[in-house]
Amino acid sequence: MAIRGTVRLAAMLAAVVVLVGTGCGSDPGGGGTGGGNASVATAEKATPTPKATKKPKHSTPKPKPKPTPKPTKAAVAKPATKIVFVNVGQGDAAIIKSGSWTGLIDGGPSGSEGAIESALRQLGVSRLDAVVVSHPHADHTGGLSGVVYDYRPRQAYVGEGAGGASSALRSVGTSIKQVRRGETLRFGALSAKVLSPGSLSGDANEDSVVLLVDDGGKRFLFTGDCTGANESLVGSICARGPPLYLLKVAHHGSRYSTSSSFLAETNATFAVISVGSNSYGHPTPETISALRAAGTRIYSTRKNGTVTLSVAASGSVAWTFAKSSKPVTKAGGSSGGGGGSGTSTAGSSGGGSGKVYVTETGECYHLGGCQYLSHSKIPISLKDAKAGYRACSVCKPPT
Ligand SMILES: [Zn+2]
Ligand SMILES: [Zn+2]
């Protein structure tokens, strides 16, 4: 009897958790800060939840469901991944680390060596396995020579060439390989499919190396400054697979890339724009509104500082931002509340307001330890959370 009673009580408690969870995620009204109507079925994730025996359904089906890859054997097979969009100002530099393998996609404008090397040190990296030079423009290669001398990459992947970094690469003995559409590169435990260029058009931006990186089914697209016919082709290739988890927006948010049809085909949940102060008007209002219309949550290195994604073996993703954690909602460079450069990475804010977290798809904000953060954990200020999300009724964050 006592045992049966305990079992029944446990079942009731589980039911309560499920009910509470459903209530928390059931209101589809929350456009709010990100407008992210992208939906990933949180309940499918295999991360164990200590309390409930059944998986609580935290997010409700949305108009545009995005299938999530099954994490199944990931816990044993795949090491953790870090993807870092380094804040190099007006230019691109992204680090990918998979287990002990580390690669760098582009090296930012001249003067960004310090920021890139500091990010590499923070990851505990002393040597690069590979660099990718998307195309030989100075805002992608200017900072590369210094990094190449210090981190002696074994391999370089280029489309057109490595531009100003060529002699540095040769002098440290890096093997340089021209890549073309259709090849698949191995980035540690990840695969990186070359989607562009096929043949060279003669326009350096259009001929950017475009990589589709797959991390256990989560897809990340690195576009360089791709545009034109090659961008259209990349879109059509992406459309054959599941939606992107993250799009590195091409050409710093220029209006000449990221067309609405491309966005419809790639269907990204998140976008990161690598951009600094510039006279080109990057990112342009057209690009920002197209991304928002596609339901993509946007971050930029200009507004958010260096953006880091930590993808655990289970597939759960934790985001950290060196500056503001508020998504980009308009094109204006520094208009948003962030103002200066206040650090808002997890756990560092004071003054009683505290840092809370949202998930990729839910409409609630949570305390750091909440069970609903097992799938994704994206910091946000309490003020922004209150503006666009509801307080989770399980962990009861401040309201
Ligand atoms: Zn370019
Ligand atoms: Zn560029």
Side-chain angles (χ1 to χ4, degrees):
M1 266 326 229
I3 291 171
R4 180 180 292 246
T6 312
V7 170
R8 186 173 299 150
L9 180 62
M12 282 167 65
L13 282 173
V16 168
V17 171
V18 170
L19 275 175
V20 168
T22 308
C24 191
S26 60
D27 174 11
T33 39
N37 63 352
S39 179
V40 179
T42 311
E44 273 177 30
K45 302 305 282 189
T47 322
T49 314
K51 299 262 166 56
T53 47
K54 281 209 282 184
K55 294 259 67 172
K57 258 215 160 201
H58 189 48
S59 63
T60 31
K62 306 271 177 64
K64 193 173 75 174
K66 301 199 171 188
T68 305
K70 293 210 208 94
T72 48
K73 63 204 182 275
V76 250
K78 191 185 80 63
T81 305
K82 293 256 188 192
I83 296 179
V84 185
F85 296 93
V86 184
N87 183 9
V88 290
Q90 179 68 10
D92 269 24
I95 299 165
I96 299 180
K97 186 170 189 295
S98 167
S100 60
W101 186 98
T102 311
L104 174 69
I105 302 179
D106 289 340
S110 136
S112 37
E113 301 86 338
I116 296 169
E117 296 193 359
S118 145
L120 287 168
R121 275 195 302 278
Q122 277 184 38
L123 294 171
V125 173
S126 54
R127 179 144 194 203
L128 280 170
D129 293 281
V131 294
V132 177
V133 185
S134 70
H135 65 298
H137 279 165
D139 55 327
H140 298 248
T141 61
L144 209 46
S145 299
V147 178
V148 163
Y149 286 126
D150 292 339
Y151 286 83
R152 309 173 327 283
R154 295 176 173 85
Q155 180 74 56
Y157 298 112
V158 303
E160 246 191 303
S166 300
S167 59
L169 287 165
R170 276 194 295 272
S171 75
V172 301
T174 302
S175 147
I176 302 178
K177 182 183 190 323
Q178 268 211 345
V179 293
R180 284 289 181 271
R181 176 179 300 137
E183 291 183 62
T184 299
L185 314 175
R186 194 120 285 282
F187 284 4
L190 316 177
S191 72
K193 212 167 177 199
V194 181
L195 302 194
S196 199
S199 54
L200 298 177
S201 73
D203 176 77
N205 287 339
E206 180 165 347
D207 292 338
S208 288
V209 174
V210 177
L211 295 175
L212 182 61
V213 175
D214 191 299
D215 184 354
K218 273 200 167 61
R219 309 201 311 161
F220 301 79
L221 187 67
F222 294 87
T223 53
D225 285 352
C226 190
T227 181
N230 278 341
E231 183 183 73
S232 307
L233 243 166
V234 167
S236 66
I237 299 170
C238 288
R240 290 180 217 144
L244 296 180
Y245 181 78
L246 186 147
L247 167 69
K248 196 292 294 176
V249 175
H251 204 185
H252 326 288
S254 146
R255 66 165 60 85
Y256 302 110
S257 296
T258 323
S259 68
S260 295
S261 57
F262 176 80
L263 287 173
E265 287 171 320
T266 49
N267 201 8
T269 305
F270 294 100
V272 171
I273 305 173
S274 195
V275 66
S277 69
N278 65 86
S279 55
Y280 312 106
H282 297 164
T284 61
E286 291 91 333
T287 304
I288 298 298
S289 48
L291 282 160
R292 295 199 74 203
T296 303
R297 197 185 296 176
I298 314 161
Y299 296 104
S300 80
T301 54
R302 181 174 182 176
K303 177 164 188 171
N304 305 102
T306 292
V307 178
T308 304
L309 286 81
S310 306
V311 187
S314 65
S316 76
V317 185
W319 291 65
T320 50
F321 305 100
K323 285 164 55 175
S324 166
S325 58
K326 196 174 180 179
V328 174
T329 51
K330 44 179 173 294
S334 53
S335 56
S341 60
T343 294
S344 69
T345 18
S348 65
S349 62
S353 64
K355 178 60 65 184
V356 292
Y357 299 86
V358 294
T359 64
E360 288 157 14
T361 56
E363 283 93 25
C364 295
Y365 64 95
H366 310 265
L367 291 174
C370 183
Q371 65 184 92
Y372 289 129
L373 296 170
S374 65
H375 171 54
S376 58
K377 187 173 181 180
I378 306 167
I380 187 170
S381 74
L382 181 58
K383 185 168 156 261
D384 295 339
K386 287 202 279 194
Y389 297 84
R390 289 178 294 117
C392 171
S393 50
V394 172
C395 65
K396 297 192 177 17
T399 49

